[in-house]
Amino acid sequence: MDDAGPALERAIDALLDARAPGATICPSEAARAVAPEDWRDLMPQARAAAGRLAQRGDVEVTQGGVVVDVATARGPVRVGRAGR
């Protein structure tokens, strides 16, 4: 999937909408929702989609409960609604 960015952004939004307030998701959940068989290949794009949503103020990307820049964070991150 060449440009899955918009689909991944929609998947992140939908997954967060389906969760309790304050809940988070892993970017891999969005990748799995968009491409169940090839989700691993989408992980860089899923993290980038989370980064775009964070830049717009729609979500926060955290690591160990601390807000981070997903572009420079290494290792697992979580995505949640901003300000919650």
Side-chain angles (χ1 to χ4, degrees):
M1 191 171 284
D2 288 335
D3 186 15
L8 288 162
E9 289 178 22
R10 288 189 300 273
I12 290 169
D13 276 332
L15 288 164
L16 289 173
D17 285 346
R19 301 283 166 94
T24 62
I25 64 161
C26 178
S28 66
E29 294 177 66
R32 284 183 179 104
V34 171
E37 299 296 320
D38 300 318
W39 66 269
R40 285 179 182 86
D41 294 338
L42 288 183
M43 282 305 297
Q45 288 185 64
R47 287 175 68 108
R52 288 189 300 277
L53 291 170
Q55 285 179 334
R56 290 196 295 255
D58 297 333
V59 302
E60 290 178 336
V61 178
T62 59
Q63 193 170 49
V66 177
V67 176
V68 296
D69 179 352
V70 72
T72 57
R74 299 288 175 244
V77 296
R78 302 292 296 178
V79 182
R81 289 287 179 209
R84 294 188 186 173

